[in-house]
Amino acid sequence: MTKALVTGAGSGIGAAIARAFDKRGYGLILVDRDVAALDAVAATLGTAPEKILCDLASRDSVETLCERLRGDLADLDILVNNAGIIVPGAVTDLDQAALDLHLEINMRTPIRLMRAAAPQMIARGSGAMVSTVSLGGVISLKDSAIYSASKFGLRGFLCGFHQELAPFGVKVSGVYPAAVDTPMLLHEATHGGSVLNFVDKVMSPEDIAEATMKAVDTGKLEVYSPWSASVTARFFASFPWMIGPLLPLMEKLGEQGRRNFHAAKCLSADKK
């Protein structure tokens, strides 16, 4: 049986990925710091998963998980680094703990887990490692500078690591979503997050799960969802000096999108 481990599996994209793997009949190891959230996701699956409680901001907890990847989970076929964090705001308004948390969860921990899983996959000549990155790892915008820094770092690692492991038959990929309808996005929408999240279509967690399946199957270095948003992001990443002049217009469009998104969420909550 194919065995897959998913971090941040307690909600949102991670839960959708878990359900997609479950439909394929994979054996699942779900990692999150919230036991109640893991139990809720497990209840939606056809086969009971193994649940691992792990605080991915804790280096000791992550090392314990790494030891398992080198030990009783050495036969792992697929590793999905999905957990992430964003605290919106200007760099000067964030405390050092918030800055460190972005770098720890979004970049350092995924690298540690991939490094721990790689030797076993190399020895077998097979395996896949996929990380949920973000279009924030392609282009950096105000009020998300530290988030983008962590995602830029992860993207750079994936690019080099992909090249290192390809000769051994091990796939390394990144999935690059635009805005996704998750609790994290709702928090951004209501707590001063970038309105540029709402310029384009807001994707569903299931959309990103589908992109993750594509990455697992193909081993493609970068999988974007949606493709249209990636074209815009990569264009401005090539010409970052153009962002400033166009920012007012982009923010106007984004603010309208944010209001529409928030109104839709409020309407949905009222119906419940």
Side-chain angles (χ1 to χ4, degrees):
M1 176 185 288
T2 300
K3 185 181 291 187
L5 184 150
V6 183
T7 69
S11 64
I13 296 171
I17 293 171
R19 289 190 289 268
F21 281 151
D22 183 62
K23 288 180 181 178
R24 291 190 174 191
Y26 292 177
L28 288 174
I29 303 102
L30 305 184
V31 179
D32 203 282
R33 63 180 181 177
D34 186 336
V35 64
L38 282 180
D39 288 342
V41 173
T44 69
L45 304 178
T47 302
E50 178 178 353
K51 294 172 285 186
I52 298 178
L53 291 180
C54 181
D55 180 359
L56 297 179
S58 164
R59 295 189 179 184
D60 289 340
S61 294
V62 171
E63 182 55 32
T64 299
L65 182 55
C66 287
E67 289 173 359
R68 292 201 61 186
L69 291 173
R70 293 185 287 261
D72 65 304
L73 296 180
D75 60 344
L76 186 72
D77 298 290
I78 302 168
L79 169 63
V80 178
N81 290 302
N82 169 72
I85 184 175
I86 181 169
V87 180
V91 172
T92 52
D93 292 336
L94 301 175
D95 61 25
Q96 188 60 45
L99 302 183
D100 292 340
L101 198 61
H102 283 83
L103 298 174
E104 197 73 32
I105 294 177
N106 294 347
M107 183 175 68
R108 194 175 191 277
T109 289
I111 291 173
R112 289 183 66 187
L113 295 179
M114 285 185 278
R115 182 173 180 269
Q120 296 72 248
M121 292 185 178
I122 289 172
R124 294 195 307 272
S126 65
M129 290 184 270
V130 181
S131 296
T132 306
V133 190
S134 167
L135 288 183
V138 177
I139 183 171
S140 183
L141 300 168
K142 71 175 189 178
D143 296 331
S144 60
I146 189 63
Y147 174 77
S148 284
S150 64
K151 294 295 188 175
F152 267 61
L154 180 59
R155 186 190 188 199
F157 176 83
L158 293 172
C159 183
F161 204 45
H162 174 93
Q163 297 167 41
E164 292 176 15
L165 268 58
F168 301 101
V170 180
K171 304 170 185 175
V172 176
S173 306
V175 173
Y176 293 78
V180 185
D181 188 358
T182 63
M184 188 163 71
L185 183 65
L186 181 59
H187 178 81
E188 287 191 74
T190 56
H191 290 79
S194 174
V195 297
L196 299 178
N197 283 315
F198 305 95
V199 171
D200 212 311
K201 175 185 177 182
V202 174
M203 308 301 287
S204 71
E206 289 71 27
D207 291 326
I208 311 310
E210 181 179 346
T212 302
M213 299 303 108
K214 179 179 178 180
V216 168
D217 293 340
T218 66
K220 189 176 181 180
L221 174 59
E222 297 186 343
V223 178
Y224 296 96
S225 183
W227 179 259
S228 58
S230 79
V231 172
T232 304
R234 285 181 286 166
F235 175 82
F236 283 113
S238 298
F239 304 98
W241 55 269
M242 294 182 65
I243 297 173
L246 292 174
L247 196 57
L249 174 61
M250 294 166 64
E251 288 181 330
K252 183 177 181 180
L253 294 172
E255 175 57 24
Q256 184 58 54
R258 185 198 69 81
R259 291 177 181 175
N260 292 340
F261 173 79
H262 189 218
K265 300 301 287 187
C266 291
L267 181 61
S268 177
D270 289 342
K271 288 182 178 178
K272 293 179 181 179

